[in-house]
Structures are given as C-alpha cells and as structure tokens.
Amino acid sequence: MNNVLEMNNLTKKFGDFIAVDHMSLNVREGEIFGFLGANGAGKSTTINMIASLLRSTKGEINLLGKNITKNVRFAKMNTGIVPQDIAIYEDMTAYENVSFFAGLYGLRGKLLKERTEEALEFVGLGEKHKSFPKNFSGGMKRRLNIACAIAHRPKLIIMDEPTVGIDPQSRNYILNSVRKLNEMGCTIIYTSHYMEEVEEICTRIAIVDHGKIIAEGTKEQLKAIITDSKEIWIGIKSADLLQLDQLKLIQGVTSVRHEEHMLKIMSKSEINNLNRIIQQLIMNQVEIRSIEEQAPNLETVFLTLTGRNLRD
C-alpha cells in the first residue's frame, strides 16, 4: 500500500516553544487516519503544516511522493481541508460558496459547474443551492463546508473537528459522508474530540502529546498497550462527601475522575482492590448506586498514555 502522506522529523518552533517535536508519520492510501490530541498537544499546528498554511521549522512533508514546500501548487490541488471553524461566506449562496472555493483550485467553465453541483449533491444540499448559509442550521453549514473542500476532488482530505456543535442527525450524516468519500478513493485525516467517532470510523490512529506521537496503530493495537489496566465505574448519589485524594492512595489505583454521578477509576488489573475502594466510599458515607467494570476503550487508552482527558 502506497503512502499518501509522509512526515519526516517534522518540527515547528514558536520562539523557544516547541509545538511539534521531530514528528514522523505515514498515512497510507485509502486510510481514515485518526489524529488525536488534547488542546495544546500540537495537533492543529501539524494539520496546518500539512495543509501548507504554516511552514515547518525543520523536517519535511511529502504528499504523493512530492515535497510540499517545493511543490506548493501540487500539494494544494491534492489536499482539501474542512476546518474546525466554519469557513464559508454568509452573503453568498451555497452554490456560489462552493464555486468560489473550487475556482481557487483552477476549475473553470463547464468542469467548475459540474464539480460544484456534484459536491452540493454529495452533501445533500443540491436543492439548497440558491439558499444563503445565514439561514442554514449548524449541521447544514458544516456540510456546506465539506462541499467546499471536496469539489476539486483532492486525494487527501483533512477533517478537523467536522462534527463539533451540531445535532446527532447531522453528525451521523457527516460520518456517513466520510465513509462514502473513503469508498470513493479519498484518504482522510480525521480529528475529533468525540472519541466514539474516531473509534467507529478510523482504520488507524495516532495519539499526539506535547508535540510528539506517543502511540500509533489500529484501535485494537492501541488497546493492547494497556492490557494491564482496568476501569471501574461506580455510580453514586452525591459527591458532597467524596474525597478523591483518599481513593488515589489505594494500592493499584492510577487515576480517579468524577463526572456528574459517576466515579471512573483506573486501576492496575492484577491488583484486586475493589473491596478497599467500596470500603473507602462507605467510610466517607458516599451512597453507591451501581458498580461496573469496563473493558478498555480508546478513551481509556488516551487517558492512560497522556494522563488527561481528550477534552482537557
């Protein structure tokens, strides 16, 4: 399988701050590649360099075998980006938006018209081609943003948080669109703060922290990294008397999170400490409503490797 994208020792500094630290990564043809990192991990900086929006300090990026710095036009023609912040013009119709962005890639005349109509139909906005985005829902604006990014038929599409802030129906529509684009031959880099999305659609995943890739592989390979860990979910009535620090002192416990009426405790799997955890809660007069041991998921992997939640 050929590599669509190759990054070799990619580095980006802002003064003395190293945002991306000698990162090397390959994205293969036909992949939906998940790129995960909490805020400040270096994910957005990396994406901006791949999209030729930011120049690297050191290292190189090759797209389809060509260095993007030496082949800027080639790189842009073969890359589409769906940014986290919606980038469309409210005072232009849906058709005019897609046509404008497609025109930036050199499409003209009959081909421009065909590709614009094709992109709008693909995202389900064909009948809204004369409508203005200011009257669209958040989900429709996101879909229009995708149409603007794919009309020139790029080989690599970067989707940076494409489902943030939209309703579940629109989210499902966009996820299905990602799958269809992939089936049509597009290679996709996908970032999201919704871990379940990445777990559902991505064929391979990289976790980045402090500007470095700390783990890479399929979701099964990543989960295998933490086979020595288990997660215990304990439902509680109230957290008024909860003392997290005392739970963290119990042998085997590696982290404790409190989310609404749920305690999520990471522990070493070889240590049987559930009785001590329950005993500690009872001593603190915390009412227990449910206890469940969870199999490792991608969120557990991320928390274990980085020590923080994806949404931190």
Side-chain angles (χ1 to χ4, degrees), residues 43-59:
K43 173 171 56 75
S44 295
T45 302
T46 304
I47 286 172
N48 286 334
M49 287 190 285
I50 295 171
S52 300
L53 300 175
L54 191 64
R55 294 199 67 162
S56 62
T57 304
K58 190 187 299 182

Side-chain angles (χ1 to χ4, degrees), residues 142-311:
R142 289 278 172 194
R143 283 151 54 191
L144 179 58
N145 224 19
I146 292 173
C148 292
I150 67 173
H152 63 294
R153 293 187 183 176
K155 296 292 185 182
L156 176 68
I157 301 174
I158 302 168
M159 293 193 163
D160 190 10
E161 305 281 354
T163 64
V164 67
I166 61 175
D167 60 276
Q169 184 177 357
S170 295
R171 177 174 295 156
N172 288 335
Y173 192 102
I174 288 175
L175 291 178
N176 286 331
S177 296
V178 173
R179 293 188 187 95
K180 288 179 183 177
L181 284 167
N182 185 241
E183 290 168 2
M184 292 163 59
C186 292
T187 301
I188 297 165
I189 295 176
Y190 192 90
T191 81
S192 177
H193 279 152
Y194 301 107
M195 200 71 81
E196 63 276 10
E197 289 183 3
V198 176
E199 194 156 2
E200 180 183 344
I201 68 170
C202 292
T203 52
R204 202 157 55 96
I205 301 154
I207 296 175
V208 58
D209 195 35
H210 299 296
K212 296 181 178 181
I213 292 175
I214 59 173
E216 179 190 340
T218 65
K219 59 186 176 183
E220 289 79 14
Q221 290 170 335
L222 293 178
K223 289 175 185 179
I225 295 173
I226 60 162
T227 50
D228 63 340
S229 299
K230 62 182 177 182
E231 189 167 19
I232 303 165
W233 289 18
I234 302 177
I236 58 176
K237 181 179 179 181
S238 171
D240 293 343
L241 301 173
L242 187 62
Q243 297 184 35
L244 297 182
D245 289 340
Q246 291 182 358
L247 291 173
K248 292 176 182 177
L249 293 175
I250 295 174
Q251 184 183 11
V253 172
T254 55
S255 70
V256 182
R257 291 176 289 157
H258 173 235
E259 298 176 5
E260 296 182 351
H261 295 287
M262 186 68 68
L263 270 178
K264 297 183 178 181
I265 301 171
M266 285 295 298
S267 176
K268 294 180 180 178
S269 57
E270 72 271 14
I271 298 177
N272 188 3
N273 52 13
L274 183 57
N275 286 342
R276 289 195 61 192
I277 292 170
I278 294 172
Q279 191 176 49
Q280 186 65 56
L281 293 174
I282 292 173
M283 286 175 59
N284 290 335
Q285 298 181 329
V286 176
E287 184 177 329
I288 299 172
R289 291 190 161 180
S290 64
I291 299 175
E292 184 178 358
E293 192 167 309
Q294 294 285 324
N297 57 20
L298 204 52
E299 189 165 3
T300 307
V301 175
F302 189 89
L303 178 64
T304 303
L305 295 178
T306 66
R308 51 182 172 162
N309 292 320
L310 185 58
R311 292 181 178 86

Side-chain angles (χ1 to χ4, degrees), residues 3 21 24 46 62 74 96 138 156 224 243 256:
N3 291 327
D21 191 0
S24 295
T46 304
N62 294 322
F74 173 85
E96 289 169 341
L156 176 68
Q243 297 184 35
V256 182

